[in-house]
Amino acid sequence: MELIGALEVLAVLAVLAVLGLILPSLVDVAEILTPVAATGLVALVIGAAVAHGRRKEFQMITINVVLLTLAAVVVRGRFGPHAF
């Protein structure tokens, strides 16, 4: 897969993950999709951090760690023992 195609796929996946975080709770339909989308976002951000590490873009890894932490909080809050 060429680089431009891969970046477009990753961008679409990121947008879908964000929509999956926001829309189910906003419209009160299938709220189980929120933690599922957050789990997918965690995997996507881990992949992005690895890609940034390989390209030696270490400042971007900081942003990935912040996004990873936020998505992990959502996963823990929705799948954890005291889910809200």
Side-chain angles (χ1 to χ4, degrees), residues 5-80:
L7 292 177
E8 290 170 351
V9 169
L10 290 175
V12 169
L13 287 175
V15 168
L16 289 175
V18 169
L19 289 175
L21 287 173
I22 296 170
L23 288 180
S25 296
L26 189 64
V27 296
D28 272 345
V29 175
E31 292 183 5
I32 189 66
L33 292 178
T34 299
V36 171
T39 303
L41 190 59
V42 165
L44 184 69
V45 170
I46 289 172
V50 169
H52 287 302
R54 287 181 179 173
R55 297 180 71 184
K56 300 197 183 350
E57 300 171 342
F58 299 115
Q59 291 177 338
M60 296 303 292
I61 294 176
T62 304
I63 295 170
N64 292 133
V65 169
V66 170
L67 292 175
L68 177 66
T69 303
L70 292 173
V73 166
V74 172
V75 171
R76 172 85 168 135
R78 295 294 181 121
F79 278 147

